[in-house]
């Protein structure tokens, strides 16, 4: 077993798949088992992340390339200041979105997916990606009805369908796809199951029982 047991788990998928709620539940579950967990998110709440959030409101004034650079700068800071230190301290890091989202969203906006992956090679590869899958139509329905929000510029159906297609094209062996159209509890059970398998594989001290 490694002396340090840091693990990086990224939650990915289109808007409205349940990433934020599922991540929080998994985090609490791991903490109850005695694991040291850091829950974090992208875009971060640093200066670049704040600029990105402003784009959510009005995306028209910036090119896909400029947008991509902001995401990369935000991630550089997030990796340096949050992710790397937590992993070095042996913690389990759960991140709500990571570089697969950048490839899928900025890819759908017109940037080349391989180029985006290459620009992210400074970011540590996750031990597992929980990729929540759902039809764009159903996720938009959730955003409208359950969250009571009007979908923003990033969330139009045609766009989201393209984003979902890019997510489904990824073939990394550490990506675990979970059907997010199922009930919340079913989805959480699948995520916990995949996480338990990962902890066992890594001989992590938080193994159940
Ligand atoms: P994301 O972070 O992926 O955008 P959220 O966690 O914010 O998604 O969830 C979006 C909305 O869908 C929330 O209102 C949430 O309560 C609801 N939701 C999440 N998972 C499910 C599910 N499996 N079934 C029904 N509604 C869900
Ligand atoms: Mg969310």
């Amino acid at each position: 077993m490694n002396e340090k047991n840091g693990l990086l788990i990224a939650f990915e998928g289109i808007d409205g798949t349940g990433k934020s709620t599922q991540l929080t539940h998994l985090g609490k579950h791991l903490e109850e088992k005695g694991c040291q967990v850091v829950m974090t998110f992208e875009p971060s709440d640093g200066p670049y992340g704040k600029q990105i959030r402003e784009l959510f409101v009005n995306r028209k004034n910036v090119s896909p390339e400029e947008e991509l650079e902001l995401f990369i700068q935000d991630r550089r800071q997030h990796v340096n200041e949050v992710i790397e230190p937590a992993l070095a301290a042996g913690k389990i890091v759960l991140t709500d979105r990571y570089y697969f989202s950048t490839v899928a969203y900025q890819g759908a906006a017109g940037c080349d997916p391989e180029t985006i992956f290459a620009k992210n090679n400074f970011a540590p590869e996750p031990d597992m990606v929980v990729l929540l899958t759902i039809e764009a139509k159903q996720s938009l329905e959730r955003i409208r009805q359950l969250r009571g929000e009007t979908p923003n510029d990033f969330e139009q159906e045609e766009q989201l369908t393209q984003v979902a297609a890019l997510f489904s094209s990824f073939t990394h062996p550490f990506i675990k796809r979970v059907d997010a159209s199922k009930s919340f509890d079913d989805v959480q059970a699948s995520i916990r199951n995949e996480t338990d398998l990962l902890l066992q594989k890594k001989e992590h001290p938080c193994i159940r029982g």
Side-chain angles (χ1 to χ4, degrees), residues 19-20 96 147:
K19 293 179 297 300
S20 303
D96 190 340
R147 225 156 58 174

Side-chain angles (χ1 to χ4, degrees), residues 4-80:
K4 293 290 181 190
N5 294 293
L7 282 181
L8 178 57
I9 302 177
F11 281 63
E12 298 279 21
I14 60 175
D15 308 85
T17 42
K19 293 179 297 300
S20 303
T21 23
Q22 294 291 352
L23 182 152
T24 307
H25 280 247
L26 178 69
K28 283 191 189 138
H29 169 70
L30 291 173
E31 281 172 350
E32 280 162 16
K33 283 167 90 155
C35 303
Q36 285 197 297
V37 181
V38 170
M39 295 185 238
T40 186
F41 56 88
E42 294 188 359
S44 77
D45 52 11
Y48 300 112
K50 287 200 176 104
Q51 283 188 60
I52 293 168
R53 274 167 224 290
E54 284 166 21
L55 293 179
F56 283 15
V57 181
N58 184 359
R59 205 182 178 187
K60 309 285 183 299
N61 300 326
V62 63
S63 71
E65 290 73 21
E66 287 170 315
E67 203 173 87
L68 174 60
E69 286 315 311
L70 278 177
F71 276 98
I72 299 292
Q73 282 171 300
D74 181 50
R75 179 157 309 113
R76 234 178 248 290
Q77 190 170 28
H78 188 224
V79 164
N80 288 338

Side-chain angles (χ1 to χ4, degrees), residues 13-22 96-97 132 134 138-139 142-143 145-148 155 179-187:
I14 60 175
D15 308 85
T17 42
K19 293 179 297 300
S20 303
T21 23
Q22 294 291 352
D96 190 340
R97 294 196 181 281
L132 296 175
I134 203 167
Q138 196 179 344
S139 82
R142 276 188 192 170
I143 293 167
Q145 295 192 346
L146 300 167
R147 225 156 58 174
E155 296 172 339
D179 180 357
S181 69
K182 297 209 170 132
S183 75
F184 184 88
D185 290 348
D186 280 357
V187 175

